Amino acid sequence: LTMTYDAKVNMQDTFTTVKYWEVLIYNYLLKRSIVIPQKDIDASKDAQYPGGFVKEPKTGESDWVVSFDLNSLYPHLIMQYNISPETMIDQKLNVNVDGILNKEYDTSNLKYAMAASGQLYDKSKRGFLPELMDTIYNERVVYKKKMLQLKQELVDDPSREEELSGEIAKYNNFQMAKKIQMNSCYGAVGNAYFRFFQLRNAEAITLSGQMAIKWISKKLNEYINNILKTDEDYVIAVDTDSCYLRMDGLVNKVFDKDTPKEKIVDFLDTIAKDKLEPFISECYQDLANYTNAYEQKMIMKREVIANKGIWTAKKRYILNVYNDEGVELKQPKLKIMGIEAVKSSTPAPCRVKIKEALSVIMNQDESSLIQFIDDFRNEFKKLSPEAIAYPRSCNNLRKY
């Protein structure tokens, strides 16, 4: 069997994840005197199941973008619907995501928790997977809260960079380790070689994720249209667990064009905290009640506030961020996702200027960008060949 290096690494990573969770679950259940079953050969191991929902974005420029993010979506879905091997009921209802969104089904007599796939789960006892997810998530919350607190301290007092930067990195590593640990559980659940693999569980998680993000996108659109008395799509983009809202209509209604950006950012931060987040919680409680969930665990918080955003395609965008998860920035920072601004072959002087050009695009006008490019073109022509040369590989030197 011949494999590429990358394939070997990916296979090893998958094997490690599966075995890690089998050991974790084994030790967890052993303490409770519960013996794990032998691995069953699942005939559906080659079957495919759906992934997350990604909306086709509104391409081009959008002003005043506010994003909301579901905290640890898949782990929380496991908790919400009590998804676990021993709680799965051998019964599946004939429902779909769109039907649930439109409340087409009578769920008043549901005895069990119903995932978006129609799979039912016992609510009489908490499964071991939800309990493990809850423990790990609570540990992550502590580390992330400390990291964000230190970030704000650094913004308020930049002279403490040497003192705080190491601590910020430490707590970021801690919270990211917990995040990866939780998300890897979903990877194991969806792996046919996992001892507790069930296709129906993996499908229940992903389809419930689609339902959760579609549910809130629809509700937020209705909410903003109701306030502004319009009939528009204010959801620029949706990506699995994130929702990006265009808030320029509200901003233009409240402020004039000369209002300082910092004042508008504070206003949007207040609106997100006092209006949108409570509304989102109410909407998700309604969803939990409708699906007879084990508990309401959809937690959506405001992530960034940007005065400008540009989308080119799905998962490809730039945001000019003024507030990041409650951390107020003295100067806006660029959040670039999926756009290859700089490649390994880009000459060193161009690397710097391309990043500067993106900042000009997001903070100045078109004439400023044209002037910036003209200035660098003149500068580029004066550079030495060594400065503007770019790396290229050369194979078979020994052969020739």
Side-chain angles (χ1 to χ4, degrees), residues 192-398:
Y193 299 98
F194 182 46
R195 180 182 296 271
F196 302 97
F197 170 74
Q198 283 284 349
L199 183 69
R200 287 184 290 174
N201 283 339
E203 186 181 56
I205 294 170
T206 55
L207 285 178
S208 295
Q210 288 188 21
M211 177 180 65
I213 199 66
K214 285 183 176 182
W215 180 276
I216 206 60
S217 299
K218 180 183 177 183
K219 297 294 185 182
L220 285 170
N221 242 337
E222 292 171 356
Y223 183 82
I224 298 174
N225 273 303
N226 185 51
I227 291 175
L228 298 178
K229 309 301 179 187
T230 54
D231 184 19
E232 298 182 30
D233 186 1
Y234 289 97
V235 179
I236 304 168
V238 171
D239 186 359
T240 308
D241 59 359
S242 302
C243 184
Y244 298 84
L245 289 178
R246 175 170 56 86
M247 301 293 284
D248 56 333
L250 182 61
V251 169
N252 294 335
K253 189 173 183 177
V254 177
F255 300 102
D256 58 50
K257 62 180 182 180
D258 297 323
T259 305
K261 289 184 177 66
E262 291 73 18
K263 187 174 181 179
I264 298 174
V265 171
D266 289 341
F267 168 75
L268 291 175
D269 182 36
T270 302
I271 290 294
K273 286 179 186 174
D274 298 345
K275 300 293 182 182
L276 293 177
E277 286 184 3
F279 172 75
I280 289 169
S281 295
E282 289 175 11
C283 291
Y284 275 130
Q285 185 60 58
D286 182 32
L287 175 61
N289 294 340
Y290 182 65
T291 55
N292 195 33
Y294 181 80
E295 57 183 330
Q296 202 304 94
K297 296 298 287 186
M298 293 296 96
I299 303 168
M300 182 173 252
K301 296 293 184 182
R302 193 268 297 162
E303 190 175 25
V304 305
I305 298 174
N307 72 314
K308 188 184 293 186
I310 297 175
W311 267 260
T312 61
K314 289 181 179 181
K315 299 178 180 286
R316 296 178 180 273
Y317 63 89
I318 305 175
L319 291 173
N320 198 46
V321 178
Y322 274 82
N323 188 301
D324 187 3
E325 294 187 279
V327 178
E328 297 180 14
L329 307 175
K330 300 291 185 183
Q331 296 294 327
K333 71 173 184 179
L334 292 181
K335 180 180 180 181
I336 305 174
M337 296 295 292
I339 295 176
E340 294 183 10
V342 174
K343 299 181 180 180
S344 60
S345 59
T346 306
C350 298
R351 289 170 180 255
V352 176
K353 291 299 179 179
I354 288 173
K355 291 180 179 178
E356 289 179 10
L358 291 174
S359 183
V360 173
I361 290 170
M362 301 304 283
N363 291 291
Q364 299 181 47
D365 55 21
E366 186 176 355
S367 60
S368 300
L369 177 64
I370 293 171
Q371 186 61 52
F372 178 86
I373 293 171
D374 287 341
D375 291 344
F376 181 61
R377 180 181 286 110
N378 294 329
E379 180 183 335
F380 184 83
K381 289 177 179 179
K382 297 175 183 176
L383 294 173
S384 66
E386 291 82 3
I388 63 173
Y390 51 87
R392 276 289 181 267
S393 60
C394 187
N395 299 324
N396 297 321
L397 280 178
R398 189 179 298 277

Side-chain angles (χ1 to χ4, degrees), residues 81 95-105 107 114-118 207 211 215 218 287 290-291:
Y81 294 103
V95 301
N96 58 54
V97 171
D98 290 336
I100 294 173
L101 288 174
N102 298 318
K103 290 191 172 182
E104 295 174 2
Y105 312 109
T107 60
M114 181 186 76
S117 63
L207 285 178
M211 177 180 65
W215 180 276
K218 180 183 177 183
L287 175 61
Y290 182 65
T291 55

Side-chain angles (χ1 to χ4, degrees), residues 79-253:
M79 290 185 252
Q80 173 148 329
Y81 294 103
N82 204 28
I83 298 173
S84 199
E86 82 279 26
T87 60
M88 186 176 72
I89 303 298
D90 191 20
Q91 184 181 356
K92 187 175 178 182
L93 302 181
N94 185 24
V95 301
N96 58 54
V97 171
D98 290 336
I100 294 173
L101 288 174
N102 298 318
K103 290 191 172 182
E104 295 174 2
Y105 312 109
D106 180 9
T107 60
S108 57
N109 296 319
L110 271 180
K111 180 182 177 182
Y112 305 111
M114 181 186 76
S117 63
Q119 181 60 50
L120 300 177
Y121 294 92
D122 187 10
K123 294 174 62 178
S124 64
K125 60 179 179 180
R126 197 180 199 190
F128 65 79
L129 276 185
E131 195 160 326
L132 281 168
M133 293 296 98
D134 200 14
T135 301
I136 298 169
Y137 178 75
N138 289 333
E139 291 171 352
R140 185 198 174 198
V141 167
V142 173
Y143 296 134
K144 188 167 183 179
K145 186 176 180 181
K146 183 65 176 176
M147 178 195 74
L148 293 174
Q149 176 189 334
L150 292 171
K151 277 188 173 182
Q152 188 61 62
E153 289 181 20
L154 180 58
V155 169
D156 295 337
D157 187 3
S159 64
R160 297 176 62 195
E161 182 172 5
E162 186 174 348
E163 170 195 351
L164 295 177
S165 57
E167 288 294 295
I168 292 171
K170 179 179 77 173
Y171 285 108
N172 182 49
N173 287 341
F174 286 166
Q175 69 93 14
M176 281 301 295
K178 293 297 178 182
K179 178 180 179 178
I180 293 168
Q181 184 183 18
M182 283 190 296
N183 290 338
S184 71
C185 178
Y186 160 70
V189 168
N191 189 293
Y193 299 98
F194 182 46
R195 180 182 296 271
F196 302 97
F197 170 74
Q198 283 284 349
L199 183 69
R200 287 184 290 174
N201 283 339
E203 186 181 56
I205 294 170
T206 55
L207 285 178
S208 295
Q210 288 188 21
M211 177 180 65
I213 199 66
K214 285 183 176 182
W215 180 276
I216 206 60
S217 299
K218 180 183 177 183
K219 297 294 185 182
L220 285 170
N221 242 337
E222 292 171 356
Y223 183 82
I224 298 174
N225 273 303
N226 185 51
I227 291 175
L228 298 178
K229 309 301 179 187
T230 54
D231 184 19
E232 298 182 30
D233 186 1
Y234 289 97
V235 179
I236 304 168
V238 171
D239 186 359
T240 308
D241 59 359
S242 302
C243 184
Y244 298 84
L245 289 178
R246 175 170 56 86
M247 301 293 284
D248 56 333
L250 182 61
V251 169
N252 294 335
K253 189 173 183 177

